[in-house]
């Protein structure tokens, strides 16, 4: 399994749904990727091929989580009051403006039902040219690519147990530290409803997070309690807890190298 970002690649074997040691990481060469798209496909492919060879994965069946920027997601409501059986075809026929930088015609689509909301679905899409570029990269790497999955799908599966254990009505705030920024996703009733990129340094992160929480709660969930989850530990985490008067919980990856890899492992276990 491979978790890709623009800055880092994390790799790990999985056997019968369980993670295996070692977990290996390597920084992706600078300027070879931008906005989730490989700009220098030969360079990225050679880089990944060398890593797979080094860690004994060149002959493995690869399941890969795409960089976060490579795909987009939205919650949509169906006029008929329930998700149709042919939801992808139905969505293409409706062709709604979802505010993405590409048309639905130019995208691969994945539609997921939402628990407790039969009239709504989570739609995740990636531009065909971006997916095809990554397929080419792994061909250059000389590897066997079994699945490419949006990071959002992996994230949902990685958080499945934590979301299920959250009391009804509680707002879940997930923070993911990235290179120079921090990703915030707010989940309400098990549904991702708000996403922002926040500053990385704690002195700037705290007021930005407070503002985002206040904005969403005033708009959608007045008085809702907040559960603060961290995809990975944060530097100066105690300052954040003190400012928000909340305990920050680092998500248990259950032996996986990242939250996305945990989601990939869960999907593999289901299959």
């Amino acid at each position: 399994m491979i978790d890709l970002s623009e800055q880092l690649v994390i790799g790990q074997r999985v056997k019968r749904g369980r993670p295996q040691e070692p977990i290996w990481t390597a920084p992706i060469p600078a300027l070879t990727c931008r906005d989730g798209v490989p700009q220098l496909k030969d360079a990225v492919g050679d880089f990944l091929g060398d890593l797979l060879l080094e860690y004994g994965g060149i002959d493995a069946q690869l399941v890969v989580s795409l960089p976060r920027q490579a795909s987009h997601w939205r919650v949509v409501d169906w006029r008929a009051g329930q998700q149709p059986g042919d939801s992808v075809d139905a969505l293409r026929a409706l062709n709604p403006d979802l505010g993405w930088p590409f048309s639905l015609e130019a995208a691969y689509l994945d539609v997921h039902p939402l628990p407790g909301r039969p009239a709504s679905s989570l739609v995740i899409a990636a531009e065909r040219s971006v997916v095809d570029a990554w397929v080419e990269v792994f061909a250059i790497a000389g590897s066997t690519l079994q699945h490419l999955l949006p990071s959002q799908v992996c994230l949902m599966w990685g958080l499945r147990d934590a979301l299920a254990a959250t009391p009804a009505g509680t707002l879940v705030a997930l923070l993911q530290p990235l290179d120079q920024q921090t990703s915030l996703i707010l989940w309400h009733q098990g549904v991702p409803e708000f996403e922002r990129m926040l500053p990385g340094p704690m002195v700037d992160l705290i007021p930005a997070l407070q503002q985002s929480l206040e904005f969403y709660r005033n708009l959608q969930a007045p008085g809702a309690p907040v559960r603060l989850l961290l995809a990975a530990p944060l530097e100066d985490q105690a300052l954040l807890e003190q400012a928000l008067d909340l305990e920050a919980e680092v998500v248990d990856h259950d032996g996986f190298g990242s939250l996305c890899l945990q989601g990939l492992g869960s999907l593999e276990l289901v299959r």
Side-chain angles (χ1 to χ4, degrees):
M1 303 186 303
I2 292 179
D3 177 6
L4 286 174
S5 73
E6 289 195 3
Q7 293 82 30
L8 192 69
V9 55
I10 308 173
Q12 186 172 22
R13 284 184 175 272
V14 63
K15 185 175 182 179
R16 297 186 181 91
R18 295 306 307 158
Q20 307 293 304
E21 295 291 345
I23 301 167
W24 50 268
T25 64
I28 291 181
L31 306 179
T32 58
C33 295
R34 185 173 68 243
D35 296 331
V37 183
Q39 302 295 307
L40 302 174
K41 288 181 280 192
D42 287 339
V44 180
D46 290 341
F47 165 73
L48 291 173
D50 289 343
L51 285 175
L52 291 168
L53 187 62
E54 179 180 353
Y55 292 101
I58 198 67
D59 296 324
Q61 300 286 321
L62 299 185
V63 182
V64 178
S65 169
L66 287 166
R68 177 189 56 82
Q69 303 96 319
S71 47
H72 302 257
W73 55 350
R74 290 287 186 277
V75 174
V76 299
D77 298 321
W78 299 99
R79 294 174 182 171
Q82 63 180 4
Q83 178 177 318
D86 56 347
S87 51
V88 171
D89 290 340
L91 192 66
R92 291 193 188 279
L94 290 170
N95 196 29
D97 181 4
L98 298 178
W100 292 334
F102 48 80
S103 67
L104 296 188
E105 183 181 4
Y108 293 110
L109 299 177
D110 199 3
V111 181
H112 292 262
L114 291 171
R117 292 179 57 172
S120 303
S121 302
L122 185 64
V123 179
I124 304 175
E127 194 168 7
R128 292 180 187 270
S129 61
V130 174
V131 175
D132 293 344
W134 281 110
V135 170
E136 186 177 346
V137 163
F138 282 97
I140 294 169
S143 57
T144 302
L145 183 61
Q146 185 177 7
H147 295 292
L148 273 176
L149 294 170
S151 67
Q152 291 89 339
V153 172
C154 305
L155 190 67
M156 285 194 305
W157 280 87
L159 279 178
R160 182 178 54 172
D161 291 343
L163 292 174
T166 300
T170 296
L171 185 64
V172 174
L174 174 69
L175 291 178
Q176 294 178 280
L178 303 175
D179 186 27
Q180 300 294 328
Q181 294 179 298
T182 304
S183 166
L184 166 67
I185 304 175
L186 299 183
W187 302 72
H188 193 218
Q189 309 290 13
V191 178
E193 294 199 339
F194 182 90
E195 184 175 17
R196 287 290 185 274
M197 292 302 299
L198 304 181
M202 188 59 68
V203 65
D204 301 314
L205 172 61
I206 288 174
L209 177 57
Q210 290 173 321
Q211 184 180 35
S212 293
L213 288 173
E214 182 179 0
F215 170 78
Y216 180 83
R217 293 171 77 189
N218 288 340
L219 191 66
Q220 298 289 348
V226 176
R227 184 183 182 191
L228 181 61
L229 299 182
L230 306 181
L234 291 174
E235 189 176 350
D236 296 327
Q237 181 176 312
L239 295 178
L240 179 66
E241 294 176 319
Q242 182 179 6
L244 297 179
D245 194 23
L246 291 172
E247 179 184 356
E249 307 171 52
V250 179
V251 178
D252 182 7
H253 295 165
D254 195 24
F256 291 94
S258 71
L259 192 53
C260 275
L261 289 182
Q262 184 179 18
L264 283 176
S266 299
L267 288 166
E268 188 65 20
L269 180 61
V270 169
R271 294 191 180 110

